[in-house]
């Protein structure tokens, strides 16, 4: 690709092109890395490896899973708090869930999901939701299976209906608060020069549909649907680096900026947070966990309907 296609810093993303074939990807000390099915097949019997199956329904896991995988539903990660529906579970609950799954903070954990063979459900986001949560609460070696169980099955690799014997671990939660950004700080910096806010929801929600009591999006947010970053055939498989470079460039997302990932409830945003922070190694990435659900619950928070251009992102919409 011609260098003139890229904004300042954009060419640095190209360093990842060759590393994609050298798993775990990328090299370095990132908490979350990408692995492919070949890597997992080669390491399936590693004594220190934990494999977490986060398929959408336990019956999907019962019907088929990767040998040795432990089932851990993403449903344990968030609960209602004082009525707000999407807050993270208490530290003690998350700690106990990880302990029962045998997760050790410094031993590698592979996370995968699927479009459930039994339930027919699953959008693919459970992988990045679990990977983000593991890293946020203190895990140091999270491996994301590119393509998930669907890629594993497409290659005719072994499946199992056996349940592994798991000894509870001594995992201790250590929250990395620097990943998330709260409402007050978000409001304070979101319109600053050098800050870009991404909305990972589908375009129809961004423009004004969806279940929220107020339609639209946060003023200034740029719509980058998370699904556009994944292959057409598999919502658990990232597009090639060359394709991702072009998409990020078209949306004005540059590594020299502070990037804040948002969506509807903070779940879709984990896909873009994982990609930018850990796979592309952007230095300043945050996630607004409350996202649009919290935004519209706050009195006076402005909302914009319709497709908003990059040029309009600094404008302030009228308050409700």
């Amino acid at each position: 690709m011609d260098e003139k296609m890229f904004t300042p810093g954009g060419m640095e993303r190209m360093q990842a092109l060759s590393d994609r074939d050298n798993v775990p990807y990328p090299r370095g000390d990132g908490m979350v890395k990408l692995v492919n099915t070949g890597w997992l097949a080669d390491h399936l019997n590693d004594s220190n490896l934990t494999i977490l199956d986060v398929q959408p329904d336990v019956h999907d896991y019962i019907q088929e899973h990767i040998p040795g995988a432990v089932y851990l539903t993403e449903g344990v990660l968030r609960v209602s708090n004082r009525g707000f529906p999407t807050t993270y579970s208490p530290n003690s609950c998350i700690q106990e869930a990880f302990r029962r799954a045998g997760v050790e903070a410094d031993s590698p954990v592979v996370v995968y999901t699927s479009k459930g063979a039994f339930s027919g459900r699953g959008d693919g986001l459970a992988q990045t939701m679990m990977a983000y949560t593991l890293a946020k609460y203190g895990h140091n070696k999270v491996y994301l299976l590119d393509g998930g169980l669907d890629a594993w099955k497409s290659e005719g690799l072994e499946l199992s209906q056996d349940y592994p014997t798991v000894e509870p671990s001594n995992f201790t939660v250590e929250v990395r608060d620097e990943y998330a950004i709260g409402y007050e700080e978000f409001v304070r910096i979101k319109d600053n020069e050098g800050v870009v806010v991404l909305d990972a929801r589908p375009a129809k929600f961004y423009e004004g549909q969806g279940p929220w009591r107020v339609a639209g999006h946060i003023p200034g947010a740029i719509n980058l649907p998370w699904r556009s970053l994944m292959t057409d055939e598999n919502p658990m498989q990232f597009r090639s680096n060359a394709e991702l470079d072009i998409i990020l460039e078209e949306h004005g997302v540059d590594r020299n900026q502070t990037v804040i990932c948002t969506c509807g409830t903070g779940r879709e945003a984990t896909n873009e947070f994982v990609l930018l922070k850990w796979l592309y190694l952007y230095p300043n990435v945050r996630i607004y966990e409350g996202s649009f659900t919290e935004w519209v619950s706050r009195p006076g928070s402005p909302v914009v309907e319709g497709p908003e251009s990059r040029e309009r992102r600094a404008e302030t919409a009228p308050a409700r």
Side-chain angles (χ1 to χ4, degrees):
M1 294 184 189
D2 195 294
E3 185 168 358
K4 67 183 180 181
M5 292 176 60
F6 295 87
T7 56
M11 283 298 291
E12 295 180 29
R13 293 196 296 262
M14 299 298 287
Q15 298 176 32
L17 279 171
S18 60
D19 275 2
R20 189 75 176 266
D21 297 322
N22 295 282
V23 291
Y25 157 79
R27 300 165 188 168
D29 298 324
M31 301 295 176
V32 179
K33 297 179 185 293
L34 201 63
V35 297
N36 59 29
T37 53
W39 183 94
L40 181 56
D42 289 342
H43 292 267
L44 201 60
N45 296 316
D46 288 4
S47 60
N48 67 336
L49 180 68
T50 299
I51 306 173
L52 293 184
D53 180 307
V54 294
Q55 292 188 79
D57 189 302
V58 69
H59 298 92
D60 299 320
Y61 170 80
I62 290 170
Q63 180 164 317
E64 58 182 27
H65 54 263
I66 293 174
V70 183
Y71 186 66
L72 182 61
T73 173
E74 66 169 309
V76 305
L77 303 180
R78 299 196 293 183
V79 294
S80 181
N81 183 22
R82 299 179 183 270
F84 188 74
T86 60
T87 54
Y88 277 85
S89 299
N91 291 356
S92 59
C93 295
I94 288 179
Q95 178 171 282
E96 184 63 19
F98 289 168
R99 285 183 174 184
R100 291 191 181 196
V103 171
E104 297 281 3
D106 293 313
S107 295
V109 171
V110 173
V111 181
Y112 75 84
T113 190
S114 75
K115 184 173 178 63
F118 178 85
S119 69
R121 298 188 291 109
D123 54 14
L125 285 165
Q127 288 193 173
T128 55
M129 182 66 185
M130 184 63 74
Y132 167 74
T133 307
L134 281 161
K136 174 184 175 176
Y137 286 94
H139 201 280
N140 299 317
K141 294 183 179 179
V142 183
Y143 291 166
L144 195 65
L145 182 61
D146 199 20
L149 184 61
D150 292 14
W152 182 268
K153 291 166 58 178
S154 73
E155 297 177 21
L157 295 168
E158 182 183 0
L159 295 169
S160 176
Q161 289 187 309
D162 295 331
Y163 312 134
T165 300
V166 177
E167 289 297 323
S169 73
N170 293 314
F171 184 90
T172 300
V173 160
E174 295 182 10
V175 183
R176 295 181 170 116
D177 291 318
E178 67 272 18
Y179 294 168
I181 184 169
Y183 175 83
E184 288 76 15
E185 184 183 1
F186 177 70
V187 170
R188 189 169 66 250
I189 74 168
K190 74 179 187 69
D191 295 317
N192 288 357
E193 193 70 27
V195 175
V196 59
V197 178
L198 300 180
D199 187 326
R201 295 176 298 165
K204 64 180 182 180
F205 292 163
Y206 173 86
E207 294 179 11
Q209 298 182 36
W212 296 272
R213 64 184 180 187
V214 179
H217 60 268
I218 298 168
I222 296 170
N223 190 211
L224 178 55
W226 74 272
R227 188 63 181 84
S228 69
L229 303 171
M230 318 306 284
T231 65
D232 294 337
E233 301 79 16
N234 189 337
M236 291 146 284
Q237 189 159 42
F238 284 101
R239 293 185 181 275
S240 70
N241 286 77
E243 292 174 296
L244 292 172
D245 286 333
I246 292 172
I247 293 170
L248 294 173
E249 191 64 27
E250 288 175 344
H251 288 78
V253 185
D254 189 84
R255 70 184 307 112
N256 295 328
Q257 300 166 311
T258 294
V259 183
I260 303 175
C261 303
T262 76
C263 59
T265 68
R267 182 172 177 264
E268 293 161 303
T270 62
N271 179 276
E272 294 177 5
F273 184 88
V274 166
L275 173 68
L276 295 174
K277 182 173 181 64
W278 287 306
L279 305 187
Y280 268 26
L281 304 179
Y282 274 39
N284 299 303
V285 187
R286 310 283 297 279
I287 183 168
Y288 177 28
E289 293 176 349
S291 282
F292 196 67
T293 297
E294 180 181 32
W295 183 261
V296 297
S297 74
R298 297 288 187 128
S301 296
V303 171
V304 174
E305 291 189 59
E308 187 180 40
S309 69
R310 171 77 175 174
E311 289 73 24
R312 291 184 56 207
R313 66 179 296 265
E315 296 180 13
T316 303
R320 291 185 279 112

